[in-house]
Amino acid sequence: MAYRWKNTLKDRDVTPEHLYMNRRHVIGAAMAGLALSGLSTPARAEDEELVPTDWEDITSYNNFYEFGTGKDDPKKFAHMLTTEPWSVKIDGMVDRPGDYAFDDILSKMTIEERIYRFRCVERWAMIVPWNGFELADLLDLAGVQSSAKYVAFETAMRPDEMPGLSRPVIEWPYVEGLRMDEAMHPLTMIATGIYGRDIPNQNGAPLRLVVPWKYGYKSIKSIVRITLTDEEPPTAWNKYAPREYGFYSNVNPNRSHPRWSQEVEQLIGSGLFARKIPTQMFNGYEEEVARLYEGMDLIKFH
Ligand SMILES: Nc1nc2c(c(=O)[nH]1)N[C@H]1C(S)=C(S)[C@@H](COP(=O)(O)O)O[C@H]1N2
Ligand SMILES: [Mo]
C-alpha cells in the first residue's frame, strides 16, 4: 500500500495546546513507572520523555480475535485479509449515507500523528504513535443528523480471510459503539497508520477506531460500517459478558473487573523488565474527558 503520511497540517488540525500539554504529562506519567516491580510513586512525571512502545511490540502482541485468540495469531494470519479496495458504509441518521471508498476518505483528511496511551482491559498497556484523523471529521463527511445519539461500528466478517471466525468465541461480526459526544470528542480518532507507516493488518488495517481513555476493546479494528442511531448500540464484549464489560468501559483504577483488580497495568516493552505502573483514571485523559461523565456513577455505569 502507498505510504500515506501527509504532513500538511491545517489550522484546525493542530492539536489544541491543552491536549499537547496533557499528552506530555500523560505519557510522562506512564514512563515514570521505571520502578521495575511493585508500585513506587511515579516521580516527577512531567520531566520524563515521550517514549513510544517499539514497532515490533505494537505489531506482534495483539488482540484481533477474527484471526485467533493468541497474542501472536493476528501477526501470523492477518496478512490473509484483503484491505484493497476497502470501503466503509456510513448509514442511519446521516444526510449523505453511502459506501465511502477508503481512498476517497483519505483524500479528504489531513493525517496527523497522535501519541496516545493504550490500555487493554487485560492490564497490558502500550504507548502508540498513531497516524490518522479525528472521527468527527469522518462523521462530518456524512453529515450527522441531530436525531443521532450514538455511533455503531462493525468490523469486516470474511470467513475465508479471517480464520478465527470459524470459532464462536464472541458473536461475529465484532461490533462497538460510542455515545455521540464521545464520538465527536477531539481525542477520538480513526487510525490509518503507526509510526508514519500504513497500519499493519494485525492492528486493524486499513482503518480502526482509537479511543484512548477507554479499554482497548472499544477500539474496533478493520471497520466496514458506521451507523448513526438514537439507541445505545450492542457491543461485542458486553454481549459476551455484560457483568464484566460495560458499554462505557472507561479506564478506571477504582473499578475492579469482577476477576481482577485494575489498579495496576503492565507496560509492554522489549526490555528485560515489564514495567508495572499505576492505572490512571480515564487512562490519563481525565482532564479532557471527565466532563463527559459528570454526575454519572462510574462504578455502576461501567
Ligand atoms: N475487530 C476487532 N477489533 C478489536 C479486537 C478484536 O478482537 N476484533 N480486539 C480489541 C482489543 S481487546 C484490544 S486490546 C485492541 C488491541 O489493539 P492492538 O492489537 O492494535 O494493540 O483491539 C481491539 N479491537
Ligand atoms: Mo483488550
Side-chain angles (χ1 to χ4, degrees):
M1 247 189 204
Y3 181 66
R4 294 206 186 94
W5 176 254
K6 280 185 265 168
N7 218 354
T8 41
L9 289 176
K10 293 182 222 149
D11 278 351
R12 68 183 174 91
D13 292 308
V14 175
T15 310
E17 190 179 9
H18 73 278
L19 293 184
Y20 175 76
M21 294 303 287
N22 188 265
R23 177 177 91 174
R24 190 165 160 269
H25 168 77
V26 160
I27 302 292
M31 293 315 298
L34 285 171
L36 296 175
S37 61
L39 284 176
S40 42
T41 313
R44 299 189 55 78
E46 273 107 29
D47 294 341
E48 300 289 337
E49 290 292 315
L50 285 175
V51 182
T53 306
D54 289 347
W55 166 267
E56 186 57 30
D57 290 322
I58 296 173
T59 61
S60 62
Y61 186 91
N62 300 100
N63 276 338
F64 199 164
Y65 278 19
E66 287 85 337
F67 298 101
T69 53
K71 290 287 181 279
D72 53 352
D73 285 334
K75 186 175 179 176
K76 269 194 248 164
F77 300 117
H79 64 86
M80 294 169 69
L81 181 67
T82 310
T83 59
E84 256 183 18
W86 193 274
S87 66
V88 182
K89 181 186 289 298
I90 307 184
D91 61 2
M93 296 167 168
V94 288
D95 293 334
R96 293 173 290 281
D99 293 315
Y100 287 73
F102 179 62
D103 289 336
D104 288 344
I105 293 174
L106 270 193
S107 70
K108 295 190 173 71
M109 297 292 156
T110 300
I111 303 294
E112 57 177 311
E113 182 184 61
R114 299 274 187 94
I115 302 175
Y116 283 164
R117 308 186 81 250
F118 187 86
R119 169 61 152 81
C120 174
V121 74
E122 298 161 342
R123 288 189 291 195
W124 54 268
M126 296 187 182
I127 297 167
V128 186
W130 303 106
N131 310 99
F133 46 85
E134 289 178 18
L135 173 62
D137 290 337
L138 176 59
L139 296 178
D140 283 348
L141 283 186
V144 175
Q145 297 176 346
S146 57
S147 49
K149 302 282 179 279
Y150 295 90
V151 188
F153 303 86
E154 196 177 302
T155 295
M157 186 167 66
R158 299 188 199 154
D160 294 344
E161 301 181 16
M162 298 170 138
L165 293 182
S166 62
R167 288 199 286 150
V169 187
I170 54 173
E171 195 185 312
W172 312 111
Y174 196 102
V175 289
E176 256 305 336
L178 294 173
R179 212 171 59 187
M180 190 57 62
D181 56 346
E182 300 175 322
M184 291 297 189
H185 193 282
L187 283 176
T188 303
M189 73 184 291
I190 294 288
T192 57
I194 294 173
Y195 273 110
R197 299 159 66 173
D198 285 343
I199 194 166
N201 284 8
Q202 59 267 36
N203 293 90
L207 78 169
R208 62 89 59 84
L209 185 67
V210 177
V211 193
W213 71 93
K214 293 178 178 286
Y215 291 118
Y217 58 83
K218 295 295 289 184
S219 292
I220 184 173
K221 294 175 170 180
S222 304
I223 297 166
V224 292
R225 186 173 181 188
I226 299 176
T227 306
L228 284 290
T229 162
D230 58 1
E231 277 171 40
E232 188 183 285
T235 61
W237 285 101
N238 179 255
K239 283 195 287 181
Y240 175 81
R243 221 174 59 82
E244 300 192 4
Y245 309 102
F247 174 80
Y248 286 93
S249 303
N250 294 316
V251 175
N252 186 346
N254 307 316
R255 184 183 194 283
S256 299
H257 182 279
R259 292 181 280 127
W260 57 81
S261 155
Q262 291 289 15
E263 284 170 21
V264 276
E265 64 194 35
Q266 206 150 15
L267 200 55
I268 299 289
S270 48
L272 285 175
F273 304 95
R275 287 163 281 184
K276 279 191 186 156
I277 58 178
T279 302
Q280 298 179 53
M281 190 62 198
F282 296 112
N283 201 26
Y285 301 96
E286 183 167 19
E287 202 179 304
E288 290 89 348
V289 303
R291 63 177 171 80
L292 302 183
Y293 310 103
E294 250 162 28
M296 194 169 178
D297 183 338
L298 296 174
I299 305 296
K300 191 168 164 213
F301 294 94
H302 62 94

